[in-house]
Amino acid sequence: MAEQREVPVYIQEPAHIQEPAYVQEPAYVQELEPVAGSLGLSALVAALPLVMVLVLLGGVRMKAHVAGLIGLLAAALVACLAYGMPLGQTLSSGAQGAVFGLFPIMWIVVNALWVYRMTVRTRHFDVLRRSFGRLSDDPRIQALVVAFCFGALLEALAGFGAPVAISAVMLVALGFDPVRAAVVALVANTAPVAFGAMGTPVVTLAQVTGLPLDSVASVVGRQTPLLALVVPLVLVWLVDGRRGLRETWIPALACGVAFAVAQFVASNYVSAQLADIGAALAGAGALVAVPHARVPATESVRTSVLTGVRSEELDEEDPRGEVVRAYAPYALIVAIFSVAQIPAVKDWLAGATQTYDWPLLDVAGPDGEPVGGNVFTWPVVSTGGTLVLLAGVCTAAVIGVHARVAVKEWLATVHELRFAILTVTSVLALAYVMNLSGQAATIGHSVAAAGAGLAFLSPVLGWFGVAVSGSDTSSNALFGALQVTAARESGLSAELLAAANSSGGVLGKMISPQNLTIACAAVGLAGREGDLLRKVLPWSIGLLLVMCLIVVGQSMAALAWMLP
């Protein structure tokens, strides 16, 4: 029988088949235990970028934008080397975070500070300051008007240190001692922070966690208003001790209640972007309406509290028209944002929103399901920054700023914020790399081992993040996804712990090195950050403990009725 031999068969590729011009990156599936199959070791490796940023900021005192860039590099290396994320997808995830940092976050901040700079250039901000000084001659009431109410309005529009600097300068002009002015401004900058810069912190929190914005804002709006009830009472104590609390507790409480109610209503039923604006106006309105706030201060109060030098320009009289124009920018912002919330207008603005499949990004979670980060949403018109830009154009017309000057001021604002822009984009890029590579999920699963104690620790994590970064937005970007993962693993509400990160974070604002430096620079106390820290640290820790107990109560039957 003849031996059979195998004959190789050659199949020629058809000539018409071409290699595709663009090859999609292969799908990347997140792993929870990529390092030696151990969750603990993997969590330690995943935490390296965060630890590095925190050490560089808090220990080495490195500039925030440099620390952010180094942390981003560390996160990218961990993603590629430890988690096996393809380099293209790692770079793409970082790019998406940077783009989100530019738009909508810094887009809001730049346009809000642009409005403020135009009022300073035309001296309408001085008119506004004199108007506040005439509301009451009682320094304790002036502290509430300037630091708490107007500071909240500045936080609503700009945030990122502007409220502390501007409020402290105004208090010094009213005759406050520089140290007291700085401490009051720092402590006042708490209750409005979670909804600052047109809701930027909660918008960021919703973006990085994938939770609905309305749900996150609703829970935050049931936590931070409780701080607003206490902070005005703390402020009058800081200004005038027991006597201040005894004599002005009624207007302070009225201001806090009005602020809290307005913030709750706006964040739950109107718009997160309007929460602080409505709260600031309601608090100021309550102070004006309460008769006790209009009682002239005794000479002993004034001489014991106002130990600084009062600015002589406060005695100038301003024409009624100029006063109206000084208030106009804020009225325009409120009006434009209110109109934008009308359902028909809101739907029309949302129609311009663009949604894209982000290039070179194809990530699946540990369960194999695609993650939300594969898609990028660009709210071109409906975002807060575009609405503030429109208000700024209207402001320029009302207060008499020439178009060429307005453009020059806008460019100067971008230049002034150049390092803040770099910081925010690098931190958001770091957060996106950690979230999409699976590093945040690994840490979250590890932290979930705290079980029921997680509810108590959740605000502490947010507080720590803000204390070292100086930004509730940055803290939410860094820890938001981690909080949600830990919540789901431990059986707690994801919305509750995500909100707790932001609500606890606001109390770290007053002790952050950046804010302490801003406060010292504003009132001429350069190099005395340590003195301010010692004065505000007990209040920061005390109020944080209150917030921790609130979150624990909300995670249990005791206060669960407070949640939506």
Side-chain angles (χ1 to χ4, degrees):
M1 185 174 179
E3 182 180 354
Q4 293 184 343
R5 295 191 308 170
E6 294 184 358
V7 179
V9 179
Y10 298 95
I11 302 176
Q12 185 175 0
E13 293 283 349
H16 65 275
I17 294 180
Q18 302 282 335
E19 284 290 323
Y22 171 73
V23 179
Q24 175 71 35
E25 283 281 310
Y28 166 71
V29 180
Q30 298 173 349
E31 287 188 63
L32 293 177
E33 303 173 354
V35 181
S38 167
L39 182 62
L41 288 176
S42 299
L44 288 175
V45 173
L48 285 176
L50 288 178
V51 172
M52 186 173 294
V53 171
L54 300 180
V55 169
L56 292 177
L57 283 173
V60 183
R61 298 290 181 89
M62 185 176 286
K63 291 185 181 298
H65 63 278
V66 178
L69 290 172
I70 294 175
L72 171 59
L73 176 60
L77 289 175
V78 171
C80 291
L81 301 179
Y83 280 75
M85 191 179 198
L87 178 62
Q89 300 220 41
T90 302
L91 296 176
S92 183
S93 59
Q96 184 180 162
V99 169
F100 181 71
L102 289 173
F103 193 101
I105 293 179
M106 293 310 297
W107 179 238
I108 296 171
V109 178
V110 166
N111 290 322
L113 281 181
W114 172 56
V115 173
Y116 164 70
R117 284 180 64 102
M118 286 193 293
T119 64
V120 171
R121 185 182 183 93
T122 60
R123 303 193 68 81
H124 283 94
F125 182 75
D126 294 332
V127 175
L128 189 69
R129 181 171 60 184
R130 289 191 287 270
S131 175
F132 287 161
R134 286 189 286 268
L135 286 176
S136 173
D137 72 342
D138 190 324
R140 300 164 299 190
I141 303 301
Q142 289 175 342
L144 293 177
V145 172
V146 173
F148 188 69
C149 297
F150 187 60
L153 187 60
L154 292 172
E155 182 67 38
L157 301 179
F160 292 89
V164 170
I166 296 169
S167 297
V169 168
M170 292 178 72
L171 290 175
V172 170
L174 289 168
F176 280 71
D177 171 75
V179 173
R180 183 175 291 170
V183 170
V184 168
L186 285 166
V187 175
N189 190 222
T190 48
V193 168
F195 296 103
M198 295 300 174
T200 296
V202 291
V203 169
T204 303
L205 186 60
Q207 179 74 16
V208 300
T209 60
L211 299 173
L213 173 59
D214 291 344
S215 299
V216 173
S218 178
V219 179
V220 174
R222 295 161 192 251
Q223 294 172 343
T224 56
L226 299 176
L227 292 177
L229 298 174
V230 179
V231 172
L233 298 171
V234 173
L235 294 180
V236 296
W237 174 280
L238 289 171
V239 172
D240 195 26
R242 293 181 181 177
R243 179 180 61 182
L245 188 60
R246 183 178 65 251
E247 295 180 358
T248 59
W249 70 269
I250 292 178
L253 186 60
C255 177
V257 169
F259 187 102
V261 170
Q263 192 181 62
F264 163 74
V265 171
S267 60
N268 278 267
Y269 305 110
V270 184
S271 166
Q273 286 87 347
L274 288 176
D276 278 350
I277 294 177
L281 297 177
L287 280 176
V288 173
V290 174
H292 290 75
R294 298 194 297 274
V295 176
T298 62
E299 190 60 28
S300 63
V301 170
R302 293 184 57 79
T303 54
S304 63
V305 174
L306 300 179
T307 55
V309 179
R310 185 175 184 273
S311 176
E312 295 181 358
E313 71 172 25
L314 294 174
D315 297 322
E316 296 179 18
E317 289 293 330
D318 298 302
R320 184 179 297 273
E322 290 301 297
V323 175
V324 171
R325 276 192 282 273
Y327 282 91
Y330 310 103
L332 285 167
I333 290 174
V334 173
I336 289 174
F337 270 82
S338 298
V339 170
Q341 298 307 311
I342 298 173
V345 178
K346 190 173 184 178
D347 292 342
W348 179 73
L349 293 174
T353 298
Q354 304 292 319
T355 301
Y356 306 96
D357 288 328
W358 192 259
L360 300 178
L361 203 59
D362 185 11
V363 178
D367 57 359
E369 294 295 321
V371 300
N374 295 329
V375 178
F376 184 77
T377 302
W378 187 28
V380 185
V381 182
S382 60
T383 188
T386 303
L387 298 178
V388 175
L389 177 66
L390 176 59
V393 172
C394 297
T395 294
V398 170
I399 65 177
V401 178
H402 190 275
R404 176 176 52 80
V405 176
V407 171
K408 182 179 178 181
E409 285 295 327
W410 193 90
L411 294 174
T413 304
V414 174
H415 182 264
E416 178 185 342
L417 291 172
R418 62 191 184 281
F419 292 120
I421 292 172
L422 185 56
T423 299
V424 170
T425 52
S426 62
V427 168
L428 264 297
L430 159 67
Y432 269 61
V433 170
M434 290 191 65
N435 293 344
L436 290 171
S437 66
Q439 295 172 57
T442 297
I443 300 173
H445 279 73
S446 178
V447 171
L454 188 59
F456 185 88
L457 296 175
S458 185
V460 177
L461 188 59
W463 173 83
F464 184 68
V466 176
V468 296
S469 72
S471 166
D472 201 37
T473 299
S474 297
S475 178
N476 287 343
L478 292 173
F479 299 130
L482 184 157
Q483 297 267 23
V484 169
T485 301
R488 288 171 175 160
E489 285 299 303
S490 59
L492 295 172
S493 165
E495 289 81 3
L496 175 62
L497 294 200
N501 192 87
S502 192
S503 299
V506 307
L507 300 168
K509 190 90 167 179
M510 67 178 85
I511 64 169
S512 70
Q514 291 91 324
N515 256 24
L516 290 169
T517 301
I518 288 170
C520 285
V523 298
L525 295 174
R528 294 185 60 184
E529 289 85 355
D531 294 340
L532 292 186
L533 177 61
R534 283 189 291 273
K535 289 181 178 296
V536 300
L537 182 59
W539 295 107
S540 178
I541 294 176
L543 292 172
L544 174 63
L545 177 60
V546 172
M547 181 55 66
C548 290
L549 295 176
I550 290 171
V551 175
V552 170
Q554 290 178 335
S555 70
M556 303 167 66
L559 297 180
W561 54 269
M562 293 180 62
L563 299 179

